[in-house]
Amino acid sequence: MDREELAHYTEVLLSMKEYEGFVWREAFRKKQHLKRLSDKHLKLLPEATKKDNITSHLRCAKQNQVFWDDICEMQKGFGPEVDLPTHVNFKQPLKTHPRHYHKLKSTLHQCVRDWAAEGAEERASCYSPILEELKRALPVNDSNKYKQKVLVPGAGLGRLALEIVAQGYITEGNEFSYQMLFTSNFILNCATEPNAFTLHPWIDNQCNNVSFADFSRPVTIPDVAPSDLLEQDACDGRVFSMCAGEFLEVYGNDIGTWDCVVTCFFIDAAPNVIEYIEAIERMLKPGGVWINLGPLLYHWANGDGDDDERYDQSIELTYEEVKHVAEGLNFTITNEARRECLYTCNKPSMLRSVYQCVQFTAVKGTRLETVPSSPAK
Amino acid sequence: MDREELAHYTEVLLSMKEYEGFVWREAFRKKQHLKRLSDKHLKLLPEATKKDNITSHLRCAKQNQVFWDDICEMQKGFGPEVDLPTHVNFKQPLKTHPRHYHKLKSTLHQCVRDWAAEGAEERASCYSPILEELKRALPVNDSNKYKQKVLVPGAGLGRLALEIVAQGYITEGNEFSYQMLFTSNFILNCATEPNAFTLHPWIDNQCNNVSFADFSRPVTIPDVAPSDLLEQDACDGRVFSMCAGEFLEVYGNDIGTWDCVVTCFFIDAAPNVIEYIEAIERMLKPGGVWINLGPLLYHWANGDGDDDERYDQSIELTYEEVKHVAEGLNFTITNEARRECLYTCNKPSMLRSVYQCVQFTAVKGTRLETVPSSPAK
């Protein structure tokens, strides 16, 4: 790990330690705004709004902090040695940038998506069709069990990858974000029984709450112990692994290595989606399949003043253009479908984003292979 | 109109004249990003992506510009005299702020919501339940036709207000945004037949497009000529009016004036929703009703560096708190329901925001009236 990388690694861990401080600032802002109300308006509010709810908000933050502290503690055993404070006085100025806080919030939401009982419907809408298609395209039998290799880039908290292992494939999840990597590492290794951890994942949801109970409600994870998803012989590193790093960099030398690449809500994370499609084609064995499901919400489309150079590269292809590129790269597109999916949905909220995803399976090299064997006219 | 107001009025009109320039900049950015691709990647893209689609994008912008030009032309006959350029050389630096462009884009989306055939389903999901409830709470008969007074704050492009007039109520729409006011004025006065105008309302939708045709597709408005919605005797200013200005300011002196206030996707536009509820209570006659439908997506919740002071006032009440405040202000809440509604939804897009709205009817003063008549215990 180079110096810059180590600095980033340390900063992410430190931001986890500072989580409670970020929430405390939000609760403080809320309290200040209430204080500015006239006496008449203050009297109209329920008593709980002015007192108990604020205390309860901070109590929820404290419980989430325990989760982050546990993750930091466990991560000591995996990564480089890092000097972290045991306890952060969160009323002092924080050292990490608020963008880390945004990532911690979305990591908590991902915990619900991948590992809570209430995420089951969401998982059924997008993971189940992928698993069905995988079993259709690459059937597992006694002779090929744990032999076909599946890669899941953008694996998040690892649930989809683990469900794929459970079907009998060698599976590797790839993930770039340290927040996701530390958290998936923690869940996969330390969640030895269902409902081992209690989180309050929705306390950043200021708007569209019906009640304070919706806002502060606890969610337990995991719905199932990760090890219980797997057969005994699949619980080793040769069958399932998570790999840290940027997709294009990590697999830059892989040529014809994989039987299948599964992308779920992933390809639109690319500044240049053509690079991703090209890489997937290169990595697959001839006849290998790419299974994709997701929208095209390009992450780098709107810079709004951010100076990350990826905003200056972003090309926002339509689905038809993505398909054209894939076909030009020698993929044959089959089994196209539209799927209505949610993504880190907070069920009781008055607003939800609903994705009308495209799903397809792209088979590598079919065209080239058939050309030599076709009879001359 | 004071000087500051006149400056704002002029700026909004000028931003309409500059609309095409904003789109041109977006198309130019897209073209630049494509140009940066390697030759190999460029060759993988469909021919249309590199040429025809860019031309077509600009042609769509030009057609939208005709709409804005027509609005500016008509507005001359209504507002103060303003010196506007006939034609803007949009490759020169623009004079208005990009935030105006954002408002023009959402005004085009509102044209679909309120006045296009493809908005019919969206209108049915939120306007129809309001109209049903209004007819239930304040029935119209021969003796009170065009006598009961209904106010619609946040009237947008006026469709809901007009549908209310069509049911036999004196109706006033109130709106703060000049973009909305000019556009509703134009549609109500100049759209004398169905499909009079052709717009391309979705060309700002960079992401989640299935095809370029989805992105550039034309939408005609109105689905029905506004005057055809009304009976002959309702086509005068005594029965239907639109009123410009900030809700709290415009109706600050109204006490017991209105039979009904209808708020649809409106109350969360307040920095302090208690002020709105208080004002609605004051404005209603005793026994008058407030019909509300919408989410609680508080507009002023997240400042993110913006220095508008309303971000420093924002209180984000839950629905239960809103209800508590309303009851404390002597409203009796009845007929609560949840309604799934869309808001300026672009149907073919791969992403849609779905609102799980609350609907309720609040009757003014019921409690005070019943207290004196209740027998002493």
Side-chain angles (χ1 to χ4, degrees):
Chain A
M1 197 180 273
D2 67 18
R3 217 165 119 179
E4 202 183 331
E5 198 53 38
L6 181 64
H8 177 57
Y9 180 93
T10 309
E11 204 185 356
V12 169
L13 284 170
L14 183 58
S15 76
M16 289 180 166
K17 300 297 285 186
E18 293 193 328
Y19 169 83
E20 203 177 349
F22 285 113
V23 182
W24 186 80
R25 277 156 180 76
E26 276 182 4
F28 183 77
R29 179 195 71 90
K30 236 176 180 171
K31 201 173 160 182
Q32 289 300 102
H33 292 193
L34 287 178
K35 265 191 177 168
R36 279 177 209 149
L37 292 177
S38 65
D39 283 350
K40 192 182 161 209
H41 284 181
L42 264 179
K43 275 192 195 127
L44 285 166
L45 288 172
E47 278 313 305
T49 304
K50 289 168 271 186
K51 209 173 155 205
D52 295 354
N53 290 358
I54 298 171
T55 318
S56 170
H57 186 171
L58 295 176
R59 207 181 306 119
C60 293
K62 197 173 278 304
Q63 188 148 16
N64 290 344
Q65 185 63 60
V66 171
F67 183 67
W68 298 121
D69 286 349
D70 286 351
I71 289 176
C72 290
E73 189 58 32
M74 187 220 55
Q75 194 57 32
K76 278 184 192 168
F78 287 88
E81 204 172 315
V82 164
D83 194 22
L84 281 182
T86 320
H87 180 73
V88 170
N89 180 345
F90 57 73
K91 295 179 191 178
Q92 300 289 320
L94 301 181
K95 288 178 183 148
T96 56
H97 193 276
R99 71 169 169 271
H100 293 294
Y101 175 48
H102 288 291
K103 296 212 171 151
L104 295 178
K105 292 193 283 191
S106 57
T107 306
L108 290 176
H109 301 167
Q110 289 281 345
C111 287
V112 182
R113 172 174 174 82
D114 264 19
W115 291 105
E118 74 172 62
E121 201 183 318
E122 192 172 310
R123 292 192 294 276
S125 74
C126 47
Y127 296 168
S128 299
I130 288 176
L131 294 168
E132 288 310 308
E133 179 58 12
L134 179 61
K135 286 188 279 183
R136 188 200 63 78
L138 299 176
V140 174
N141 53 48
D142 287 347
S143 67
N144 69 6
K145 197 172 177 186
Y146 299 127
K147 286 188 179 149
Q148 302 178 95
K149 289 179 66 184
V150 180
L151 177 69
V152 185
L157 296 184
R159 181 63 178 260
L160 175 59
L162 211 67
E163 298 282 359
I164 290 172
V165 186
Q167 301 299 327
Y169 303 89
I170 296 183
T171 311
E172 182 160 300
N174 163 243
E175 179 56 54
F176 178 67
S177 142
Y178 278 135
Q179 288 86 353
M180 293 291 178
L181 286 161
F182 300 164
T183 307
S184 64
N185 201 11
F186 180 70
I187 294 172
L188 295 172
N189 289 296
C190 302
T192 50
E193 54 186 42
N195 309 314
F197 310 108
T198 302
L199 303 171
H200 300 274
W202 306 111
I203 57 167
D204 59 294
N205 200 42
Q206 299 173 50
C207 291
N208 286 315
N209 289 303
V210 170
S211 70
F212 182 77
D214 287 345
F215 169 89
S216 61
R217 84 202 138 90
V219 174
T220 58
I221 60 165
D223 62 318
V224 54
S227 59
D228 286 350
L229 282 175
L230 305 184
E231 292 174 349
Q232 197 62 35
D233 54 351
C235 291
D236 77 49
R238 284 166 302 168
V239 169
F240 174 59
S241 55
M242 285 287 283
C243 171
E246 203 281 317
F247 171 58
L248 294 176
E249 285 173 25
V250 174
Y251 302 98
N253 297 320
D254 281 17
I255 299 173
T257 317
W258 299 87
D259 294 288
C260 179
V261 176
V262 164
T263 51
C264 180
F265 281 75
F266 175 69
I267 60 169
D268 48 7
N272 175 0
V273 64
I274 305 175
E275 285 188 319
Y276 276 20
I277 303 173
E278 212 172 32
I280 293 168
E281 196 276 337
R282 171 176 40 75
M283 298 162 63
L284 284 171
K285 295 178 184 168
V289 295
W290 167 29
I291 298 173
N292 176 70
L293 186 151
L296 292 171
L297 184 57
Y298 292 102
H299 294 206
W300 304 99
N302 293 300
D304 278 339
D306 194 306
D307 63 356
D308 193 308
E309 59 177 16
R310 284 169 286 192
Y311 290 114
D312 291 329
Q313 295 163 7
S314 180
I315 54 165
E316 296 94 27
L317 303 189
T318 64
Y319 172 57
E320 286 185 357
E321 288 165 336
V322 166
K323 213 173 132 178
H324 184 95
V325 168
E327 286 170 343
L329 282 165
N330 202 18
F331 275 118
T332 302
I333 308 282
T334 65
N335 296 59
E336 284 176 280
R338 297 294 294 266
R339 303 264 177 220
E340 188 167 295
C341 300
L342 300 170
Y343 190 87
T344 64
C345 173
N346 176 17
K347 277 192 175 182
S349 168
M350 289 193 240
L351 172 57
R352 56 177 60 179
S353 297
V354 180
Y355 294 89
Q356 314 292 331
C357 297
V358 286
Q359 181 182 353
F360 62 80
T361 300
V363 185
K364 171 174 169 170
T366 325
R367 210 186 317 151
L368 269 186
E369 277 166 9
T370 56
V371 169
S373 63
S374 66
K377 278 178 189 170
Chain B
M1 196 179 276
D2 67 18
R3 218 166 116 178
E4 203 182 331
E5 198 53 38
L6 181 64
H8 177 56
Y9 180 93
T10 309
E11 205 186 355
V12 170
L13 285 170
L14 183 58
S15 75
M16 290 181 166
K17 300 297 285 187
E18 293 193 327
Y19 169 83
E20 203 177 349
F22 285 113
V23 182
W24 186 81
R25 277 157 180 74
E26 278 184 2
F28 183 76
R29 180 194 71 90
K30 237 178 180 169
K31 202 173 159 183
Q32 290 301 103
H33 292 192
L34 287 178
K35 265 191 179 169
R36 279 177 210 149
L37 292 177
S38 66
D39 282 350
K40 193 184 160 206
H41 284 181
L42 262 180
K43 275 191 195 126
L44 285 166
L45 288 172
E47 279 311 305
T49 303
K50 290 169 271 186
K51 207 171 156 207
D52 295 354
N53 290 358
I54 298 171
T55 318
S56 170
H57 187 171
L58 295 176
R59 205 181 308 120
C60 292
K62 196 173 279 302
Q63 189 149 16
N64 289 344
Q65 185 62 61
V66 170
F67 183 68
W68 298 121
D69 286 348
D70 286 350
I71 289 175
C72 290
E73 189 57 34
M74 186 220 55
Q75 196 55 32
K76 280 185 191 168
F78 286 88
E81 203 171 317
V82 164
D83 195 22
L84 281 181
T86 320
H87 180 72
V88 170
N89 180 345
F90 57 75
K91 296 179 189 178
Q92 299 290 320
L94 301 180
K95 290 178 181 147
T96 56
H97 193 277
R99 72 171 168 270
H100 292 295
Y101 175 48
H102 289 291
K103 297 212 171 151
L104 295 178
K105 292 193 281 192
S106 57
T107 305
L108 289 176
H109 302 167
Q110 288 281 345
C111 286
V112 182
R113 174 174 172 82
D114 265 19
W115 292 105
E118 74 172 64
E121 202 182 316
E122 190 172 311
R123 292 192 294 276
S125 73
C126 48
Y127 296 168
S128 299
I130 289 176
L131 292 168
E132 289 310 308
E133 179 58 10
L134 179 61
K135 286 188 280 184
R136 188 201 62 78
L138 299 177
V140 174
N141 53 45
D142 288 346
S143 67
N144 68 7
K145 194 171 177 188
Y146 299 127
K147 286 188 179 149
Q148 300 177 95
K149 288 178 68 185
V150 180
L151 177 68
V152 185
L157 296 184
R159 182 64 177 259
L160 175 59
L162 211 66
E163 298 282 358
I164 291 173
V165 185
Q167 301 298 327
Y169 303 90
I170 296 182
T171 311
E172 182 159 301
N174 163 242
E175 179 56 52
F176 179 66
S177 141
Y178 278 135
Q179 288 87 351
M180 294 291 178
L181 286 162
F182 300 164
T183 307
S184 64
N185 201 11
F186 180 69
I187 295 172
L188 295 172
N189 289 296
C190 302
T192 48
E193 55 187 41
N195 309 313
F197 310 108
T198 302
L199 303 171
H200 300 273
W202 307 110
I203 57 168
D204 60 295
N205 200 43
Q206 297 173 52
C207 291
N208 286 314
N209 289 302
V210 170
S211 70
F212 183 76
D214 287 346
F215 170 88
S216 61
R217 84 202 136 89
V219 174
T220 58
I221 60 163
D223 62 317
V224 52
S227 59
D228 286 350
L229 282 174
L230 305 185
E231 293 175 347
Q232 196 62 37
D233 54 351
C235 292
D236 76 50
R238 285 165 302 167
V239 170
F240 174 59
S241 54
M242 286 288 281
C243 170
E246 203 281 317
F247 172 59
L248 293 176
E249 286 174 24
V250 173
Y251 302 98
N253 296 321
D254 281 18
I255 299 172
T257 318
W258 299 88
D259 294 286
C260 179
V261 176
V262 164
T263 52
C264 180
F265 283 73
F266 175 69
I267 60 169
D268 48 6
N272 176 359
V273 64
I274 305 176
E275 285 189 320
Y276 276 21
I277 303 173
E278 212 174 31
I280 293 168
E281 196 276 338
R282 172 176 40 74
M283 296 161 65
L284 284 171
K285 295 177 183 168
V289 296
W290 167 30
I291 298 172
N292 177 70
L293 186 151
L296 292 172
L297 183 58
Y298 292 102
H299 294 208
W300 303 99
N302 294 300
D304 279 339
D306 194 307
D307 62 355
D308 193 309
E309 59 178 13
R310 284 170 286 192
Y311 291 113
D312 291 329
Q313 295 163 7
S314 181
I315 54 166
E316 296 93 28
L317 304 190
T318 64
Y319 172 57
E320 285 184 359
E321 288 166 336
V322 165
K323 212 172 133 178
H324 184 96
V325 168
E327 286 169 345
L329 282 164
N330 202 17
F331 274 117
T332 302
I333 307 282
T334 65
N335 297 59
E336 283 176 281
R338 296 294 293 268
R339 305 262 176 221
E340 188 167 295
C341 300
L342 300 170
Y343 190 87
T344 63
C345 172
N346 176 18
K347 277 192 173 181
S349 169
M350 288 192 240
L351 171 57
R352 54 177 62 178
S353 297
V354 180
Y355 294 90
Q356 314 291 331
C357 297
V358 287
Q359 180 182 353
F360 62 80
T361 300
V363 186
K364 170 173 169 170
T366 326
R367 208 186 320 151
L368 268 188
E369 278 166 10
T370 56
V371 169
S373 63
S374 65
K377 278 178 188 168

